[in-house]
Each structure stands twice: as structure tokens, then as C-alpha cells.
Amino acid sequence: MQFSKTTFEDENQVVTQSDQLSKFREKEYAPICNTAQSRSSPHSEEENLDFVELHRISRAHKARDRRERLKRNWKKIRVMQTDHETKRFPHRLKDFFESGRCSARFFMTWFSPASTFGPRERICLESIFKFHPFACVVIISQSLDTERGDCILKPFIDAGHHLMAAAPDLPSIFENTSAEIWFRRLKEGKIDPGGISLSQNLSNLLRLVILYKFGGIYVDTDVIALRDFSTLSNSIGAQSADAFGHWSRLNNAVLIFDKSHPILLQLIRSFTSNFNGGRWGHNGPYLVSSVFERIEGQNSSFNLTVLPPRAFYPATWQQIGRWFHSPKHETERHWKAAKLQELQLESYAVHLWNKQTRMLLVERDSILDDLFQCCCAFCNE
């Protein structure tokens, strides 16, 4: 794996490959994407009561009011909607996996509008296909399972990649797990959704249930793959470790598990029995950390691997901002070269911590500029 920099001349300006890719797509598909409408489906781009609105409401009312509001309005929240098309979700996945060769099964979730699935998310998706060209990738999303979503994903399909966006049917997905009862009680107003984004908490639960029922690899849309994951099985990455190398916190941005793995069942049960929608990370990193800590002495029977932070989280959320900036002097250039060599030797992926970095631009000659060029699937087009 080589991290090299190539530039193109475009209208008398020097642009990076990732810039070139973004410009090409915008020219080629923007007119279609801007005018495309939903496929006669309620899962369109129109903004009804969505998670952001629910989050605003939650700040202004007590727990009882949040429960009542969700009880009255859950049918207006896109991911909680159910119709004839979403009920086909399990069959669509089965047909999709059987329709072509799948060297690996990848799952992602996207509960935001399709218009916000931008260049950074596309590069992360490209990196999966760069190192897993025969992978089957499913993006669980209402907004991308539309004509506008088809337009956004068209370059991947045209390149022969096996990719599908599918609107989920949460009741059928959660069926026969403790998530089924939890979700029903949530809709009935018996569970406080809390002040944290409901989309994030549903994604935390959905990834566990999907892997339990189908098996495969879950990755967040702000994770850049740096190499093939095929050597990994039943693995999770540490977000941080102590001075002795023992993990101190895990993270659920990357999960690799066999179908019906017992640890997934424990994680689902812990989520539903200890749900707290008012504390950031409680149902994600803190959940997986607490469950793994509880069963750590039984790792041999569970066939689990906890990878060190450098595997998926080589930069903490406090450090990642530096990776967006170009070196300003010789010392920083040496640091960048050493970091890229370290990534090449020791890392499977890089988590971009979008919550902290979504407003940052990738500067030319930064670490991420090099990574984007290394990991894009359409670099030579």
C-alpha cells in the first residue's frame, strides 16, 4: 500500500484526485440528483418530523413529554415508517446476497437526507471497494433508497460494484430478539427517547441485530478502509488503551462478527435493558465496553478478538483534526511521513470522528489528502 500524491490540471487550477472525483460527479449527476423524486414511496427527501426536530423537542420538555411526543409522532419519523416496500427488506437482502459473488458482507447505516451523503462519505464507501472489490455492501437507509439515492450511488453500480441501499423495516428486523419488545414499548411511549439523537441510538441497536441475523462487517460512514479485512473475524477495536496496552474503552464504529454470535445477543439484551437516551455514547462505546469487560475472562469460549487502537482508531477524536492540515514546517513533514508509514504497517482503517470534524476541510498534502488518494476506487477515471 503506497501513499502517493497525484494532481491534475483543471481550469488552470491544481486539484487533488479527491477534488477531481467530486467535481466529476457533481457535473455528471447533479442535474439528475437535484430533480429526482422518490419512487412512489414515503421515503422521500421532504423533511417531515425528523430526528433533529425530535432532538430540539427533547431539550424543552421532560421525559414524560418526550415519550408522549414520540408516541404521537413516530409514524412521521422516516426510519420508523413501515409500508409494503420496507416489509420486503429481509427478502431484498437475501436476493441481493444471492445475486452475486460476495467475498464479504458490509453494512452501513444512513439516516440523514440523501443530499448530505457527501464526498467524504463516498470516499469512505470507495475505500471498502478499493480493498474488497467483490464485497456486497448494503446501506440501510430510507433516503438513499430513492431515485435520488440511486443517482448518488450510480458511479459504484456502473463500475460493477455490488451495492444496494435498502429502507429498513425495524419491526421485522428486530423480530425474535429483545429489541422487538423494546422498540414496541418505545413507540407506545413507555420508553424515554432522551435528548441524544434517536437516529444514533437506533443505528447502535440496528447494527447489532443486523450482524446477529446476517453476519458480516459493520462500518460507520466516516471510516476509511486501509486494507483487506478478510483476516479478521469476531473482532472489535479498542478506542483507547492504558500504558500496559490493555484496552480501556472499545468502540462500535467497526464490528466484525459471525451470524448468531452469542456476544451480539448479549449486546442486544444489554442495550434494551439498560437503554439511556440522555447520555452520549451510553448505547454505543460504553455499552460494548461494559459487556466485553464483564465477559473478558470468558474470551476463549466466545472466540473474540479485541484489536488495539491503531487497528481502527489510530487517532483519537482530540487528535484527528491535525490530520486535516498540511505540514507547515520540516518537523511536521517528518511527523506526517512517520504516521503514514505506521498506518501502512499497523492499521486496517481510520475513523474520522465526523462529530468533531464534519466542518473541517481536507487540506492539500495533509495526511487525509494522501489517504483519500490512496483509498479511492475511481482515482484513474
Side-chain angles (χ1 to χ4, degrees):
M1 177 172 59
Q2 297 297 322
F3 300 114
S4 60
K5 183 179 178 68
T6 304
T7 59
F8 302 88
E9 293 294 335
D10 180 28
E11 298 178 356
N12 299 321
Q13 292 182 339
V14 179
V15 296
T16 62
Q17 289 177 325
S18 54
D19 293 335
Q20 183 78 6
L21 176 62
S22 179
K23 287 176 183 291
F24 167 76
R25 288 179 183 160
E26 288 174 2
K27 288 180 182 178
E28 187 73 15
Y29 300 112
I32 303 173
C33 292
N34 289 337
T35 58
Q37 300 297 319
S38 172
R39 292 190 289 264
S40 302
S41 166
H43 312 294
S44 65
E45 276 293 289
E46 65 179 82
E47 291 300 327
N48 48 25
L49 180 67
D50 210 339
F51 298 107
V52 175
E53 178 63 21
L54 186 64
H55 184 57
R56 292 194 190 102
I57 293 169
S58 70
R59 291 184 175 184
H61 298 274
K62 296 180 180 179
R64 186 185 66 180
D65 297 319
R66 288 196 296 264
R67 293 196 301 268
E68 287 301 315
R69 176 62 71 114
L70 180 59
K71 180 180 178 180
R72 292 194 303 269
N73 294 288
W74 69 265
K75 292 182 180 180
K76 299 179 182 178
I77 298 175
R78 190 178 296 130
V79 73
M80 299 179 75
Q81 295 174 5
T82 298
D83 58 25
H84 175 72
E85 185 64 22
T86 63
K87 288 181 179 179
R88 295 183 56 247
F89 178 85
H91 301 288
R92 291 180 67 191
L93 257 62
K94 182 176 182 294
D95 293 342
F96 175 71
F97 290 139
E98 293 177 351
S99 64
R101 173 185 173 187
C102 290
S103 62
R105 293 180 178 182
F106 279 85
F107 297 94
M108 310 171 90
T109 59
W110 187 257
F111 293 159
S112 301
S115 59
T116 61
F117 194 88
R120 190 185 297 190
E121 287 76 26
R122 292 196 292 269
I123 277 287
C124 291
L125 184 57
E126 286 183 41
S127 71
I128 293 176
F129 287 118
K130 175 77 172 184
F131 298 104
H132 311 84
F134 300 106
C136 295
V137 179
V138 177
I139 305 178
I140 303 172
S141 172
Q142 294 74 20
S143 63
L144 291 177
D145 190 10
T146 60
E147 288 186 12
R148 180 162 189 164
D150 288 348
C151 162
I152 293 171
L153 303 180
K154 186 178 188 298
F156 297 91
I157 306 298
D158 289 349
H161 294 304
H162 209 42
L163 171 66
M164 177 179 72
D169 181 62
L170 296 184
S172 63
I173 294 173
F174 293 158
E175 190 176 11
N176 297 323
T177 70
S178 60
E180 179 180 15
I181 299 174
W182 176 88
F183 187 62
R184 184 171 66 244
R185 296 184 69 241
L186 179 73
K187 293 191 297 183
E188 292 172 348
K190 297 178 180 177
I191 293 178
D192 177 13
I196 301 301
S197 168
L198 183 58
S199 64
Q200 180 61 52
N201 283 323
L202 286 174
S203 175
N204 285 330
L205 179 58
L206 183 59
R207 69 190 67 178
L208 299 175
V209 180
I210 283 290
L211 290 182
Y212 180 73
K213 291 196 169 184
F214 293 93
I217 303 168
Y218 171 84
V219 293
D220 275 351
T221 53
D222 60 347
V223 171
I224 306 174
L226 300 181
R227 66 176 66 202
D228 187 354
F229 288 11
S230 63
T231 59
L232 304 177
S233 64
N234 300 320
S235 301
I236 190 171
Q239 174 180 321
S240 58
D242 59 26
F244 301 99
H246 183 266
W247 66 267
S248 54
R249 182 174 299 172
L250 305 180
N251 197 290
N252 64 336
V254 181
L255 299 170
I256 306 170
F257 283 101
D258 295 337
K259 177 181 177 180
S260 302
H261 195 285
I263 191 63
L264 293 171
L265 199 59
Q266 290 207 26
L267 289 168
I268 295 167
R269 289 170 177 167
S270 182
F271 180 104
T272 57
S273 60
N274 300 297
F275 176 78
N276 183 340
R279 183 185 177 195
W280 181 261
H282 178 85
N283 309 299
Y286 290 105
L287 168 72
V288 294
S289 298
S290 63
V291 171
F292 270 70
E293 185 175 24
R294 189 169 65 243
I295 58 91
E296 191 169 27
Q298 310 170 41
N299 269 10
S300 58
S301 61
F302 277 95
N303 183 28
L304 297 172
T305 300
V306 176
L307 298 169
R310 61 181 178 270
F312 302 130
Y313 312 99
T316 66
W317 62 269
Q318 299 100 326
Q319 299 167 341
I320 191 66
R322 186 179 182 186
W323 292 35
F324 284 76
H325 303 303
S326 59
K328 299 300 187 293
H329 47 71
E330 194 64 24
T331 300
E332 289 189 349
R333 282 190 283 274
H334 284 303
W335 171 81
K336 173 193 166 185
K339 182 60 66 176
L340 288 173
Q341 184 177 26
E342 179 183 302
L343 292 172
Q344 181 175 345
L345 294 174
E346 300 181 354
S347 297
Y348 285 90
V350 173
H351 186 224
L352 298 183
W353 303 101
N354 266 0
K355 183 174 173 61
Q356 283 73 34
T357 66
R358 62 167 60 98
M359 301 304 294
L360 297 180
L361 296 177
V362 178
E363 296 179 0
R364 293 190 179 104
D365 202 32
S366 64
I367 286 182
L368 285 179
D369 184 32
D370 280 28
L371 292 184
F372 281 3
Q373 294 174 51
C374 165
C375 301
C376 59
F378 305 140
C379 299
N380 297 322
E381 295 192 4

